[in-house]
Amino acid sequence: MSANIFGERFQLMTFGESHGPALGAVIDGCPAGVFFDTELLKKNLDRRRPGQSGLTTSRSELDQAEVLSGIFEGKTLGTPIAVIVRNQDARSQDYAAIKTAPRAGHADDVWKEKFGHSDPRGGGRSSGRETLSRVIGGSFAEMYLSQKHPSLQVVGWTAQVGSIELSSADRDQIQGFDRDKIDSYAARFPSEKSALAEKAILAAKEAGNSLGGVAEIRVTGVPAGLGQPVFRKLKADLAAAMMSVGATSAVEIGAGIEVSSRTGQDFHGGPANVYGGIRGGISTGEDVFLRVHFKPTSSILDVAKKGRHDPFIVTRAIPVLEAMAWLVLADHSLWKLSDKV
Amino acid sequence: MSANIFGERFQLMTFGESHGPALGAVIDGCPAGVFFDTELLKKNLDRRRPGQSGLTTSRSELDQAEVLSGIFEGKTLGTPIAVIVRNQDARSQDYAAIKTAPRAGHADDVWKEKFGHSDPRGGGRSSGRETLSRVIGGSFAEMYLSQKHPSLQVVGWTAQVGSIELSSADRDQIQGFDRDKIDSYAARFPSEKSALAEKAILAAKEAGNSLGGVAEIRVTGVPAGLGQPVFRKLKADLAAAMMSVGATSAVEIGAGIEVSSRTGQDFHGGPANVYGGIRGGISTGEDVFLRVHFKPTSSILDVAKKGRHDPFIVTRAIPVLEAMAWLVLADHSLWKLSDKV
Amino acid sequence: MSANIFGERFQLMTFGESHGPALGAVIDGCPAGVFFDTELLKKNLDRRRPGQSGLTTSRSELDQAEVLSGIFEGKTLGTPIAVIVRNQDARSQDYAAIKTAPRAGHADDVWKEKFGHSDPRGGGRSSGRETLSRVIGGSFAEMYLSQKHPSLQVVGWTAQVGSIELSSADRDQIQGFDRDKIDSYAARFPSEKSALAEKAILAAKEAGNSLGGVAEIRVTGVPAGLGQPVFRKLKADLAAAMMSVGATSAVEIGAGIEVSSRTGQDFHGGPANVYGGIRGGISTGEDVFLRVHFKPTSSILDVAKKGRHDPFIVTRAIPVLEAMAWLVLADHSLWKLSDKV
Amino acid sequence: MSANIFGERFQLMTFGESHGPALGAVIDGCPAGVFFDTELLKKNLDRRRPGQSGLTTSRSELDQAEVLSGIFEGKTLGTPIAVIVRNQDARSQDYAAIKTAPRAGHADDVWKEKFGHSDPRGGGRSSGRETLSRVIGGSFAEMYLSQKHPSLQVVGWTAQVGSIELSSADRDQIQGFDRDKIDSYAARFPSEKSALAEKAILAAKEAGNSLGGVAEIRVTGVPAGLGQPVFRKLKADLAAAMMSVGATSAVEIGAGIEVSSRTGQDFHGGPANVYGGIRGGISTGEDVFLRVHFKPTSSILDVAKKGRHDPFIVTRAIPVLEAMAWLVLADHSLWKLSDKV
């Protein structure tokens, strides 16, 4: 396998198997002089961590990050920033069963064909635990951008839990929510129906079932001019970033799937930001809005995990999607520096 | 601007402004010994060309491709393949008006901020004419893959014209359609409602209006093992490829947006290919299926184009989306060579 | 073959076989707003062109460059700049003999093994004619840098013709020479022994022999801070750039091979610029100095070329080496933009 | 800083400051199924380690490598291989003095201008300790290539210590030497004059002086067809690899600087491997031979290091140069897979 590097100018390389000694991230290309915000890193890792409530899997490791390089006296040196997290709860014995019986919905058999080895879970890289490295990388992207564009914000939430969706009233309210406010809702579903959603998730867990869902990401305070006009349109990079996260199956940008049944006079005429803050592949300065669809998790098919499975993964995916958005924005922010002589 | 290169191993570089002397494509990384199929290249370019019917814009240049390098005695040399197409119908005078008045829905103002110049149409790179270079690149990817995986096929069609959608009966029928069959339908909408769709498009044109729509792409005969498990999942690369085409706003893979309201027991239990031929980011050998949503074209807002505007761009985008899919598949086909020792 | 792209931020892609319809260059990543200097491009191409005197091969095509994209109203658009040069004198019939008998010293047999085809001259990419594309790319790098760093200059000359070397007096004089002055000397050998060198070259030609030599490149007015400290040290990139030119076998930077027999007290103690303007891989602002060693050309072994062979290729390589230096400097100039927050 | 990644297909990313918690290497792109040779890794790290004799600096850390990912049941998984080495002997207090007074010959001032921070030693990335990560990466390249091309060998030695050079008799003898044999000589100088060289080095140390030198690298059993013909010629990549190591100032390939004073009839006529195993940028299958020139170390100028300085760094650089050669060969070995359809 190669392709464990994300980004061209602000680059994240990730490594680590879920059953190995550690996972990690190396950030290359982060400019020198960025203030290191240890609290932000910790908070983002905690937000991703499973086992925070009865709603998610019970894996309860602490995910303590150790910075090995790139930071000196509270600032980035301009050198690669390496961060590792030990696997305290690796339990590779759990995978013994899997070695003989590939799990439906997982990629075990595909990996076997591709890489020729019988290691469970594709070397542990197809596990959700890999996303920890993304959150580390995204946190540094956030530190860099927050210093350069203080008003830039990326906030994600759950917009759908199985068949339960946000109402219009919910949507109006969310405009003013920050991440802390979102986190205060069960399943990060910021709705009057939050309790209902929670109940549905717990019922699915008990029944050995799982639920699909939708995450939404809103980026505000976006600097204009991010994105390159042909292959690296901002929307193309954001779509790839979101679809690189496991269990995703669709991504919408701006007005998304709504646009296909509209007419031009109706669509382009109004004052609303129907373009999702991106025109010609380049940010306009308006808000960027994304919707990401997730399959119901396939862990229900894993007999070995019975009772410990995660019935709804969107909640936990939100900090990961936010991280991916930060990484794309940081990459294009550096890119923009060479647009003009 | 940079980022006019697509792919890492099978690479396409594109150049050319719609009002300049020529557009072109350079393919680097195509292995030596691939049979050059001049008819295929010509046919794909013709399929992309506007002005083929009353349904599209009347621009009627011939798009004659000239191969400048990389081919010798009917085969690729392994050297870069450069192909150019002269702009016979550049008419840069048309753009005079635009220089003073940015067009709504276009990216002119965004470009001005980003690149600091007042050239119309962002240097002509944000024009639909840029896609010609993609079709050239995709044709070579198709030649390479057709030789290596003869059963691999990429077929696209229009699935929605404004509010008119394919019926279930239509969908059943399409299973056996190839590109020629699709092309025989008005607007590439392979449906009993094809005439209706055509009428809607013409009505929109007369009214100075435009229609959104949906394209679908089916890849059959896919070799297993394409895709890299983390950031370069096959679905991530396909999503980026599709979203790098102008006027797109959403992309669905496999069961797409349907998945978010499903339960795991329902979704994973059945025999159907709900994963869209990709698991863990890697192709399984099953069909890969994509849906791409398009905005109604903004050319209606362009006073200078009144009467000459394209009311429905999905039809013409289909060969471009097919080309992008071929390019992604070729890139990953080369990548797969180094998976195992 | 892939790897026809040079640079990461200021990128040159080259294409074209010496016996095909055209050669070309596409520059991606050149910022918008750079003044296009058509005279500079023309002059650099003329300086590279063979057949300018009895000293070089008699191939006498005109090398007329046509700009296909990227320039509008005298400035770069920020879009890819494509330039092609038609092969007016391709004479692929010359290669008929070679198809059966690989030429000693050439790479024909190596290519055959690698790419599996019997095309002469490795698809024509191992010919010296390929360097034309480099000179095009280097010219745009020069335009960009000249606008940003007006005092930056790259000047190359011949320092050795077989066994004839520059004297100390010659070296003193060269300090003030620009490219025009260098060009006024036979074989670009700016020496009182210039006539002697010319005689040696002509004698070699008559005898069906060839001569090795040394080129020197001096870069003045270098901005400080170019180069990245680990793998992309400025000296590493310059060395690769020089060694990517055919017939080179050694490259020296700064004090070069002199350093290995020196002691530290002697070497580091003095006021002279012994580091060649690069410390820790990064430019200091002092002059950068390079020496590049060339083999005697192997064309003497080519029976088909008897009498038309080039007995001394260093003269003609100088504009190519200069171009490569400009390209490296432009790449690192863009890189430097993201060093600090 | 970016550019801490080496290679395109077999990629090494390095991180770590000499005064920070750890150094490390992440290898991405190593195929699955390569046997992990822990002894080889250990041995190569030991060979690089300073303090092995009175000839080098007395820093005596153990350089214990910990593998964090990418290996399972004795084989590579195809996932990124991360290896870290803790800095047991960081002593950042040593750098206190340097913070105020930049050291001549070092890059401290250059770094300050470039990255804007006052951290000693450019964030510790310009220290020789950074090469540890290269040796880790090179060891995995060696494991991969040894499995694929068992006869491939890379052996380096010291060819010159100040003014003491290998004799012809020495050179004859070296033909049969492997790394163990080389290591048995003081300063890795495999000569009858070895004792003399050792004495010169110790004398330099006592006198607070240092000596320049030359390393030679011989690659045998090279598979034919490595290298790409234009910008990524094997010789260009090798030159960059060697020149990316600190204190280098010149690199010669094959007959090196000898060629410039030769005539073609003399040079090309004989049976000897004058091309250094590379023609047209591509390996021929013959031995590849490199000479790398090193400056006398500038650590003599560092008052804080008085008495602990390294008077001759070539000995210790040899495992690093070998590692860089392995990395280049592994990269091109993977590249070659996509040459032909």
Side-chain angles (χ1 to χ4, degrees):
Chain A
M1 180 196 339
S2 58
N4 294 282
I5 299 172
F6 186 84
E8 297 219 354
R9 310 220 163 177
F10 193 103
Q11 298 189 293
L12 169 67
M13 185 189 241
T14 70
F15 60 84
E17 291 81 48
S18 56
H19 59 268
L23 281 96
V26 190
I27 295 102
D28 198 15
C30 181
V34 172
F35 295 109
F36 174 50
D37 185 343
T38 184
E39 287 310 308
L40 179 71
L41 175 60
K42 215 174 150 179
K43 185 176 179 179
N44 282 339
L45 285 173
D46 279 348
R47 293 176 65 234
R48 189 211 73 95
R49 195 162 55 85
Q52 292 164 299
S53 74
L55 299 181
T56 58
T57 79
S58 52
R59 192 164 178 172
S60 63
E61 72 271 38
L62 261 152
D63 290 347
Q64 276 191 307
E66 183 188 7
V67 177
L68 296 182
S69 67
I71 307 292
F72 187 69
E73 298 182 344
K75 284 197 280 186
T76 59
L77 282 167
T79 59
I81 302 158
V83 181
I84 62 169
V85 176
R86 297 275 167 186
N87 286 324
Q88 301 173 342
D89 186 29
R91 288 187 307 201
S92 62
Q93 61 276 23
D94 285 9
Y95 301 105
I98 307 155
K99 284 186 82 166
T100 44
R103 297 158 300 160
H106 278 87
D108 305 338
D109 51 339
V110 182
W111 275 74
K112 169 97 183 145
E113 192 276 337
K114 186 173 179 73
F115 297 108
H117 54 68
S118 61
D119 180 48
R121 310 198 102 189
R125 289 292 282 168
S126 62
S127 153
R129 189 150 171 76
E130 166 262 322
T131 58
L132 192 152
S133 304
R134 302 181 186 226
V135 170
I136 294 170
S139 296
F140 283 94
E142 184 176 350
M143 291 173 211
Y144 160 61
L145 286 168
S146 296
Q147 189 164 338
K148 205 172 158 195
H149 303 288
S151 62
L152 182 57
Q153 290 293 335
V154 178
V155 179
W157 58 81
T158 303
Q160 191 177 325
V161 179
S163 55
I164 310 171
E165 291 184 66
L166 290 177
S167 67
S168 308
D170 290 337
R171 293 191 168 282
D172 288 344
Q173 211 179 18
I174 295 168
Q175 294 310 315
F177 286 6
D178 61 9
R179 286 186 291 195
D180 286 340
K181 183 69 186 171
I182 300 289
D183 287 352
S184 70
Y185 283 88
R188 292 196 172 107
F189 184 63
S191 166
E192 46 185 13
K193 289 173 279 186
S194 179
L196 205 66
E198 185 173 7
K199 207 184 283 181
I201 294 170
L202 292 171
K205 188 169 189 180
E206 262 171 67
N209 206 346
S210 59
L211 299 170
V214 176
E216 290 179 357
I217 304 287
R218 180 187 67 216
V219 191
T220 51
V222 188
L226 302 188
Q228 297 293 340
V230 180
F231 295 122
R232 303 300 295 272
K233 288 182 169 79
L234 188 59
K235 65 178 177 176
D237 276 12
L238 284 170
M242 299 301 138
M243 292 293 273
S244 77
V245 175
T248 54
S249 66
V251 61
E252 307 180 54
I253 297 192
I257 62 165
E258 301 282 300
V259 306
S260 37
S261 45
R262 301 284 288 279
T263 70
Q265 286 173 357
D266 171 30
F267 183 78
H268 298 285
N273 171 18
V274 288
Y275 305 104
I278 300 171
R279 264 184 296 145
I282 300 164
S283 66
T284 60
E286 296 158 296
D287 291 358
V288 170
F289 179 71
L290 300 165
R291 274 171 64 83
V292 186
H293 296 257
F294 285 83
K295 292 178 246 203
T297 173
S298 58
S299 54
I300 56 158
L301 306 168
D302 184 353
V303 181
K305 271 198 148 182
K306 204 73 182 182
R308 291 193 302 112
H309 79 284
D310 197 338
F312 184 69
I313 54 170
V314 178
T315 305
R316 198 143 70 82
I318 284 165
V320 180
L321 300 180
E322 288 170 356
M324 296 310 296
W326 283 113
L327 285 165
V328 169
L329 294 165
D331 202 29
H332 281 285
S333 172
L334 290 178
W335 220 325
K336 186 169 155 46
L337 297 173
S338 43
D339 283 340
K340 284 184 276 197
V341 73
Chain B
M1 184 196 338
S2 58
N4 294 281
I5 299 172
F6 186 82
E8 296 219 354
R9 309 218 164 179
F10 193 103
Q11 297 189 292
L12 168 66
M13 186 190 239
T14 70
F15 61 83
E17 291 80 47
S18 57
H19 59 268
L23 281 95
V26 189
I27 296 100
D28 198 15
C30 182
V34 172
F35 295 110
F36 174 50
D37 186 343
T38 184
E39 287 310 308
L40 179 71
L41 175 59
K42 215 175 150 179
K43 185 176 177 179
N44 281 339
L45 285 174
D46 280 349
R47 293 176 65 235
R48 189 211 72 94
R49 194 162 55 84
Q52 293 164 301
S53 75
L55 299 181
T56 57
T57 79
S58 52
R59 193 166 177 170
S60 62
E61 72 271 40
L62 262 153
D63 289 347
Q64 276 190 307
E66 184 188 7
V67 177
L68 295 182
S69 68
I71 307 292
F72 187 70
E73 297 181 346
K75 283 197 282 187
T76 59
L77 283 167
T79 59
I81 303 159
V83 181
I84 61 168
V85 176
R86 296 275 168 186
N87 286 324
Q88 300 173 344
D89 187 29
R91 287 188 306 202
S92 60
Q93 62 277 22
D94 285 10
Y95 301 105
I98 307 156
K99 285 185 81 165
T100 43
R103 298 159 297 160
H106 278 86
D108 304 338
D109 51 341
V110 183
W111 275 75
K112 170 95 182 151
E113 191 277 337
K114 186 173 178 72
F115 296 108
H117 54 69
S118 60
D119 180 47
R121 309 197 103 188
R125 290 292 282 167
S126 62
S127 154
R129 190 152 170 74
E130 167 263 322
T131 60
L132 192 154
S133 304
R134 301 181 186 227
V135 170
I136 294 170
S139 296
F140 283 93
E142 184 176 350
M143 291 174 209
Y144 160 61
L145 285 168
S146 297
Q147 188 164 338
K148 204 171 160 197
H149 302 289
S151 63
L152 181 56
Q153 291 292 335
V154 177
V155 180
W157 58 81
T158 302
Q160 191 177 324
V161 178
S163 55
I164 311 170
E165 292 184 65
L166 290 177
S167 68
S168 308
D170 290 338
R171 293 191 168 280
D172 288 344
Q173 210 179 17
I174 294 167
Q175 294 311 314
F177 286 5
D178 62 8
R179 285 187 291 195
D180 286 341
K181 185 65 186 172
I182 299 290
D183 287 352
S184 70
Y185 284 87
R188 292 198 172 107
F189 185 61
S191 166
E192 45 184 15
K193 289 173 282 187
S194 178
L196 206 65
E198 185 172 9
K199 206 184 285 180
I201 294 170
L202 291 171
K205 188 169 190 179
E206 262 171 67
N209 206 346
S210 60
L211 300 170
V214 176
E216 290 179 357
I217 304 286
R218 182 186 65 216
V219 191
T220 52
V222 188
L226 303 187
Q228 295 294 341
V230 180
F231 295 122
R232 304 299 297 270
K233 290 183 167 79
L234 188 58
K235 64 179 178 175
D237 276 12
L238 284 170
M242 299 301 138
M243 291 293 275
S244 77
V245 175
T248 54
S249 65
V251 60
E252 307 180 53
I253 298 192
I257 62 165
E258 301 282 300
V259 306
S260 37
S261 45
R262 301 282 290 277
T263 72
Q265 286 174 358
D266 170 31
F267 184 77
H268 297 284
N273 171 17
V274 286
Y275 306 104
I278 300 171
R279 264 185 296 145
I282 300 164
S283 66
T284 60
E286 297 159 294
D287 291 359
V288 171
F289 179 71
L290 300 166
R291 275 170 63 83
V292 185
H293 295 257
F294 285 83
K295 292 177 247 202
T297 173
S298 58
S299 54
I300 56 159
L301 306 169
D302 185 352
V303 180
K305 271 197 146 185
K306 203 78 183 180
R308 289 192 303 110
H309 79 283
D310 197 339
F312 184 68
I313 55 171
V314 178
T315 306
R316 197 142 72 81
I318 284 166
V320 180
L321 300 180
E322 289 170 356
M324 295 311 294
W326 283 113
L327 285 165
V328 169
L329 294 165
D331 201 30
H332 280 286
S333 172
L334 290 178
W335 219 324
K336 186 169 155 43
L337 297 173
S338 43
D339 283 341
K340 283 184 276 198
V341 73
Chain C
M1 179 197 340
S2 57
N4 294 282
I5 299 172
F6 186 83
E8 297 219 353
R9 310 219 163 177
F10 193 103
Q11 298 189 292
L12 169 67
M13 185 189 240
T14 70
F15 61 84
E17 291 81 47
S18 57
H19 59 268
L23 281 96
V26 189
I27 295 101
D28 198 16
C30 181
V34 172
F35 295 110
F36 173 50
D37 185 342
T38 185
E39 287 311 307
L40 179 71
L41 175 60
K42 216 174 150 178
K43 184 175 179 178
N44 281 340
L45 286 173
D46 280 349
R47 293 176 65 235
R48 190 212 72 95
R49 195 162 54 85
Q52 293 164 300
S53 75
L55 297 182
T56 58
T57 79
S58 52
R59 192 166 179 171
S60 63
E61 72 271 40
L62 261 152
D63 290 347
Q64 275 190 308
E66 183 188 7
V67 178
L68 296 182
S69 68
I71 307 292
F72 187 70
E73 298 182 344
K75 285 197 281 185
T76 59
L77 283 168
T79 60
I81 302 158
V83 181
I84 61 169
V85 176
R86 297 274 167 186
N87 286 324
Q88 301 173 344
D89 186 30
R91 289 187 306 201
S92 62
Q93 62 276 22
D94 284 10
Y95 300 105
I98 307 154
K99 284 186 82 166
T100 44
R103 298 158 299 161
H106 278 87
D108 304 338
D109 50 340
V110 182
W111 275 75
K112 169 96 182 148
E113 192 277 336
K114 186 174 178 74
F115 296 108
H117 55 67
S118 60
D119 179 49
R121 308 198 102 187
R125 289 290 284 167
S126 62
S127 153
R129 190 151 171 73
E130 166 262 322
T131 58
L132 191 152
S133 304
R134 301 181 186 228
V135 170
I136 294 170
S139 297
F140 283 93
E142 185 176 350
M143 291 173 211
Y144 159 61
L145 285 168
S146 297
Q147 189 164 338
K148 204 171 159 196
H149 303 288
S151 63
L152 181 57
Q153 291 292 336
V154 177
V155 179
W157 58 82
T158 303
Q160 192 177 324
V161 178
S163 55
I164 311 170
E165 291 184 64
L166 290 177
S167 67
S168 308
D170 291 337
R171 292 190 168 281
D172 288 344
Q173 210 179 17
I174 294 167
Q175 294 311 315
F177 286 6
D178 61 10
R179 286 187 290 195
D180 286 340
K181 184 68 186 170
I182 300 290
D183 287 352
S184 71
Y185 284 88
R188 294 198 170 106
F189 184 62
S191 166
E192 47 184 14
K193 290 173 279 186
S194 178
L196 205 66
E198 184 173 8
K199 206 184 284 181
I201 294 170
L202 291 170
K205 188 170 189 179
E206 263 172 66
N209 207 346
S210 60
L211 300 170
V214 175
E216 290 179 357
I217 304 287
R218 181 188 65 217
V219 191
T220 51
V222 188
L226 303 187
Q228 296 293 341
V230 180
F231 295 123
R232 304 299 296 272
K233 289 183 167 79
L234 188 59
K235 65 179 179 175
D237 276 12
L238 285 169
M242 299 300 138
M243 292 293 273
S244 76
V245 174
T248 54
S249 66
V251 61
E252 307 179 54
I253 298 192
I257 63 166
E258 302 282 301
V259 305
S260 37
S261 44
R262 303 281 289 279
T263 71
Q265 286 174 357
D266 171 30
F267 184 78
H268 297 284
N273 171 17
V274 287
Y275 305 103
I278 301 171
R279 263 185 296 144
I282 300 164
S283 66
T284 60
E286 296 158 296
D287 291 359
V288 171
F289 179 71
L290 300 165
R291 274 171 63 85
V292 185
H293 296 256
F294 285 82
K295 292 177 246 204
T297 174
S298 58
S299 53
I300 55 159
L301 306 168
D302 184 353
V303 181
K305 272 199 145 182
K306 203 76 184 181
R308 290 194 301 112
H309 79 282
D310 196 340
F312 184 69
I313 54 170
V314 178
T315 305
R316 197 143 71 82
I318 284 165
V320 179
L321 300 180
E322 288 170 355
M324 296 311 295
W326 283 113
L327 286 165
V328 169
L329 294 165
D331 203 29
H332 280 286
S333 172
L334 290 178
W335 220 325
K336 187 170 155 44
L337 297 174
S338 42
D339 283 341
K340 283 184 276 197
V341 72
Chain D
M1 182 197 338
S2 57
N4 294 281
I5 299 172
F6 186 83
E8 296 220 353
R9 310 219 164 179
F10 193 104
Q11 297 189 293
L12 168 67
M13 185 190 240
T14 70
F15 62 84
E17 291 80 48
S18 57
H19 59 268
L23 282 95
V26 190
I27 296 101
D28 198 16
C30 181
V34 172
F35 295 110
F36 174 50
D37 185 343
T38 184
E39 286 312 307
L40 179 71
L41 175 60
K42 216 174 148 179
K43 185 176 178 178
N44 282 339
L45 285 174
D46 279 349
R47 294 176 65 235
R48 189 211 73 93
R49 196 162 55 84
Q52 293 164 301
S53 75
L55 298 181
T56 57
T57 79
S58 52
R59 193 165 175 170
S60 62
E61 70 271 39
L62 262 152
D63 290 347
Q64 275 190 308
E66 184 188 6
V67 177
L68 295 182
S69 67
I71 307 293
F72 188 69
E73 297 182 346
K75 284 197 281 187
T76 59
L77 284 167
T79 58
I81 302 159
V83 182
I84 61 169
V85 176
R86 297 274 167 186
N87 286 324
Q88 301 172 344
D89 187 28
R91 288 187 306 203
S92 60
Q93 61 277 23
D94 285 10
Y95 301 104
I98 308 155
K99 285 186 82 167
T100 43
R103 296 159 298 159
H106 278 87
D108 304 337
D109 50 341
V110 183
W111 275 75
K112 169 96 183 149
E113 191 277 336
K114 186 173 178 73
F115 297 108
H117 54 69
S118 60
D119 180 48
R121 308 196 101 187
R125 290 291 283 167
S126 62
S127 153
R129 189 151 170 74
E130 167 263 321
T131 59
L132 191 153
S133 304
R134 301 181 186 229
V135 170
I136 294 170
S139 297
F140 283 94
E142 184 176 351
M143 292 173 210
Y144 159 61
L145 286 167
S146 297
Q147 189 164 337
K148 204 171 160 196
H149 302 289
S151 63
L152 181 56
Q153 291 292 334
V154 177
V155 180
W157 58 80
T158 303
Q160 192 177 324
V161 178
S163 56
I164 311 170
E165 291 185 65
L166 290 176
S167 68
S168 309
D170 290 337
R171 294 190 167 281
D172 288 345
Q173 210 179 17
I174 294 167
Q175 294 310 314
F177 286 6
D178 62 9
R179 285 186 291 193
D180 285 341
K181 185 67 186 170
I182 299 290
D183 288 351
S184 70
Y185 284 89
R188 294 198 171 107
F189 184 62
S191 166
E192 46 185 14
K193 290 173 281 186
S194 178
L196 204 65
E198 185 173 8
K199 206 184 286 181
I201 294 169
L202 291 171
K205 187 169 189 179
E206 262 171 67
N209 207 345
S210 59
L211 300 170
V214 175
E216 290 180 357
I217 304 286
R218 180 187 67 216
V219 191
T220 52
V222 188
L226 302 187
Q228 296 294 341
V230 180
F231 294 122
R232 303 299 296 270
K233 288 183 168 77
L234 188 58
K235 64 179 178 174
D237 275 12
L238 285 169
M242 299 301 138
M243 292 291 274
S244 77
V245 175
T248 54
S249 65
V251 59
E252 308 180 52
I253 297 191
I257 63 165
E258 301 282 300
V259 307
S260 37
S261 46
R262 301 282 289 279
T263 71
Q265 286 174 358
D266 171 30
F267 184 78
H268 297 285
N273 171 17
V274 286
Y275 305 104
I278 300 171
R279 263 184 297 144
I282 299 164
S283 66
T284 60
E286 298 158 296
D287 291 359
V288 170
F289 179 71
L290 300 165
R291 274 171 64 83
V292 185
H293 296 257
F294 285 82
K295 292 178 247 203
T297 174
S298 58
S299 53
I300 55 158
L301 305 169
D302 184 353
V303 180
K305 272 196 146 185
K306 203 77 182 180
R308 290 192 303 112
H309 79 282
D310 197 339
F312 183 70
I313 54 171
V314 178
T315 306
R316 197 142 71 82
I318 284 166
V320 180
L321 301 180
E322 289 171 355
M324 295 312 295
W326 283 113
L327 286 165
V328 169
L329 294 165
D331 202 30
H332 280 287
S333 172
L334 290 178
W335 220 324
K336 186 169 155 42
L337 298 173
S338 44
D339 282 341
K340 283 184 276 197
V341 73

